[in-house]
Amino acid sequence: MSAIVHTSIILDTRRVLKDGSYPVKLRLTHARQRKYFLTPYNLTEEDFAKVKSDKPRGKFKELEITFQAIEQRAIDILKKLEVFTFDAFEKKFYNVASKQDVLSSIREKVAALKKEGRPGTAETYASTLTSLAAYTKKKVLPFSVVNPEFLREYEQWMVGRGKSITTVGIYLRSLRSIFNDAIASGEVSQALYPFGKRKYLIPAGRNVKKALATTDIEKLFAYIPKHDAEARARDLWIFSYLCNGINIKDIARLKYKQLEPDRITFIRAKTERTSRQNIKVITAMRTPEVDQIIDKWGNKPAYSENYVFPLLKPGLNPEQELATVRQATAIINRYIKLIAAAVGIDKNITTYTARHSFSTVLKRSGAPIEFISESLGHSDLKTTQSYLDSFEDKIKKQYSSQLTAFLREAK
């Protein structure tokens, strides 16, 4: 580019913001014309002066480096323009900026997930976006700003506003995924990655064990429902428990063609898109109790392409399917809680409890963890371990008694 264009980072003091600060902007000057381009930063005159001082320190030094990077990016764009115009520069500048902006990257992720038919995951990223935007109060959040200190302060902010550690972890894992995608695509340097040991570690929620004791499961089997809605909810919970802890979405998507004489095969909807190279087909055995539930509540006639249970209808888009599954899950949860209370089970039972109970009962029966992991469709044993509850008290007492068995033998 032959045209001479001057660049500088300035504090635009023409209009003060509500908090007393002013926007920091990139200024281009060409042929006696000036145009200003917004950056993500607002500073007071005092703070901007500290950034521009001979030896800025602490956060002001970090801001100086960031401002220099913004200006250098502008210079690089100018060098690549064959013919300079303010409009041509603006298009390039904001396009590059959007690729280095966390919030824009999350928006793109949400759009991509919706296009892939994954509305549930899209909602998780959208919630992360809303949370970050509320915390930063900015329209742009450069990847370079999201360092370990930023993440620690963001975590404290969320906890201070009543978010559980589980929710905090969900949002931060979504943010980590955005970083991983940006680094993999070459848009962000690996040096900016703020997660990991000696940087920032995402907090792990308390792993509250959700499994029922076999005595409680027996109560659910023996319960006599008051009406069909209650009976169907109880039976679908039992179907989940007996069929490897299959979740309600996968129950809803089951078709008769997946039923073989002695088993049921399915792929978890949760992993079929993310594990394309190593898709795990899960096999659940058809016990007499499983067949009774299918016979009682299954769609008729049993054509191969028909859904087994009348939870979904053909032709639903992903958003409609998600809403239908959520409604079915809520109904089952409501009734199973009422049933639990009626039979004296003092636990917060949900459809998720069926999955944990399946794995834990197998563990207590002596099944190898490798078998349990395969049955759940897990790719590693660590994930399986998080599902397994500890042994029941009577088993613990039985083993503890072995510590002094020699005393009883001596008698």
Side-chain angles (χ1 to χ4, degrees):
M1 184 195 71
S2 58
I4 298 176
V5 182
H6 298 284
T7 65
S8 60
I9 297 293
I10 61 97
L11 190 69
D12 189 353
T13 57
R14 293 176 294 180
R15 186 165 62 92
V16 66
L17 302 176
K18 290 182 179 180
D19 61 357
S21 66
Y22 299 91
V24 177
K25 295 183 178 181
L26 169 72
R27 184 177 67 196
L28 294 192
T29 305
H30 170 64
R32 297 185 180 181
Q33 288 186 311
R34 289 179 174 179
K35 189 162 184 177
Y36 299 85
F37 300 88
L38 195 64
T39 76
Y41 301 93
N42 303 317
L43 294 176
T44 63
E45 291 183 277
E46 180 182 0
D47 285 348
F48 189 74
K50 291 179 180 178
V51 173
K52 291 293 186 178
S53 65
D54 292 337
K55 293 182 179 180
R57 295 183 178 181
K59 68 176 183 179
F60 302 110
K61 181 63 178 179
E62 292 179 5
L63 286 170
E64 179 191 43
I65 294 171
T66 300
F67 294 163
Q68 288 172 350
I70 293 172
E71 187 171 4
Q72 185 59 51
R73 191 170 74 239
I75 293 170
D76 292 341
I77 292 170
L78 289 169
K79 289 178 180 178
K80 294 177 182 178
L81 289 177
E82 294 183 7
V83 178
F84 172 80
T85 66
F86 284 114
D87 287 343
F89 173 84
E90 182 174 12
K91 184 177 180 180
K92 293 284 186 181
F93 180 74
Y94 284 124
N95 182 51
V96 172
S98 68
K99 291 181 180 179
Q100 296 177 348
D101 168 36
V102 174
L103 304 183
S104 295
S105 296
I106 298 177
R107 291 188 194 96
E108 291 175 5
K109 183 75 171 182
V110 170
L113 289 167
K114 288 181 177 179
K115 189 175 181 180
E116 292 174 10
R118 301 168 64 188
T121 308
E123 282 186 13
T124 298
Y125 280 89
S127 297
T128 302
L129 175 63
T130 300
S131 176
L132 275 170
Y135 172 63
T136 61
K137 296 183 174 62
K138 295 182 183 295
K139 295 182 179 179
V140 178
L141 177 61
F143 280 93
S144 59
V145 172
V146 184
N147 55 29
E149 182 181 0
F150 173 97
L151 293 171
R152 282 188 283 270
E153 292 176 354
Y154 176 44
E155 176 191 330
Q156 293 172 3
W157 179 83
M158 285 191 283
V159 172
R161 280 156 181 75
K163 296 294 184 184
S164 68
I165 291 298
T166 299
T167 299
V168 170
I170 290 171
Y171 289 175
L172 288 168
R173 281 192 293 274
S174 297
L175 181 55
R176 182 177 63 188
S177 177
I178 293 296
F179 258 93
N180 289 334
D181 289 347
I183 290 170
S185 65
E187 293 165 4
V188 173
S189 168
Q190 178 69 47
L192 292 178
Y193 192 66
F195 299 93
K197 292 182 179 179
R198 298 181 183 177
K199 292 185 179 181
Y200 173 80
L201 292 175
I202 296 174
R206 285 194 310 119
N207 188 18
V208 179
K209 303 301 184 181
K210 304 174 180 67
L212 295 181
T214 50
T215 51
D216 286 337
I217 297 172
E218 184 179 3
K219 292 176 184 177
L220 296 180
F221 272 73
Y223 177 76
I224 300 175
K226 298 175 183 177
H227 46 74
D228 279 355
E230 192 176 67
R232 189 173 82 152
R234 190 277 309 270
D235 287 353
L236 288 176
W237 190 95
I238 289 175
F239 184 88
S240 172
Y241 167 70
L242 294 174
C243 293
N244 302 33
I246 182 174
N247 66 31
I248 302 305
K249 182 174 183 177
D250 292 326
I251 290 177
R253 297 177 74 183
L254 272 182
K255 293 187 175 182
Y256 278 105
K257 65 182 180 182
Q258 295 169 257
L259 273 57
E260 300 178 26
D262 60 348
R263 62 182 184 170
I264 300 171
T265 59
F266 63 95
I267 297 170
R268 297 183 70 197
K270 181 179 180 180
T271 59
E272 67 178 349
R273 294 181 182 274
T274 56
S275 305
R276 293 183 181 180
Q277 301 300 318
N278 187 26
I279 295 177
K280 290 185 175 294
V281 178
I282 300 173
T283 299
M285 304 312 296
R286 289 182 65 170
T287 64
E289 294 79 12
V290 168
D291 285 342
Q292 287 172 13
I293 293 171
I294 294 173
D295 290 342
K296 183 174 183 179
W297 302 109
N299 278 315
K300 304 295 186 298
Y303 294 140
S304 63
E305 288 296 331
N306 281 1
Y307 289 119
V308 175
F309 297 106
L311 299 175
L312 294 177
K313 296 179 180 179
L316 297 180
N317 62 37
E319 288 77 15
Q320 292 169 331
E321 180 182 296
L322 176 65
T324 303
V325 169
R326 283 180 173 174
Q327 182 181 30
T329 304
I331 291 172
I332 295 170
N333 284 339
R334 182 168 71 248
Y335 282 119
I336 203 67
K337 290 177 191 295
L338 292 173
I339 293 171
V343 299
I345 299 175
D346 187 21
K347 279 192 174 184
N348 181 29
I349 301 179
T350 68
T351 56
Y352 207 49
T353 311
R355 185 168 176 82
H356 282 263
S357 298
F358 164 81
S359 57
T360 297
V361 169
L362 286 185
K363 170 193 170 183
R364 292 170 178 167
S365 301
I369 190 172
E370 291 82 2
F371 171 77
I372 299 172
S373 183
E374 177 184 305
S375 299
L376 294 171
H378 290 160
S379 58
D380 63 79
L381 298 182
K382 287 184 179 179
T383 305
T384 306
Q385 194 65 48
S386 69
Y387 274 77
L388 300 178
D389 207 341
S390 57
F391 291 98
E392 295 178 27
D393 287 345
K394 63 180 181 180
I395 301 298
K396 292 179 181 178
K397 289 180 180 178
Q398 178 183 330
Y399 282 121
S400 295
S401 68
Q402 298 302 311
L403 299 174
T404 55
F406 59 88
L407 296 176
R408 292 185 292 278
E409 291 172 359
K411 294 179 181 179

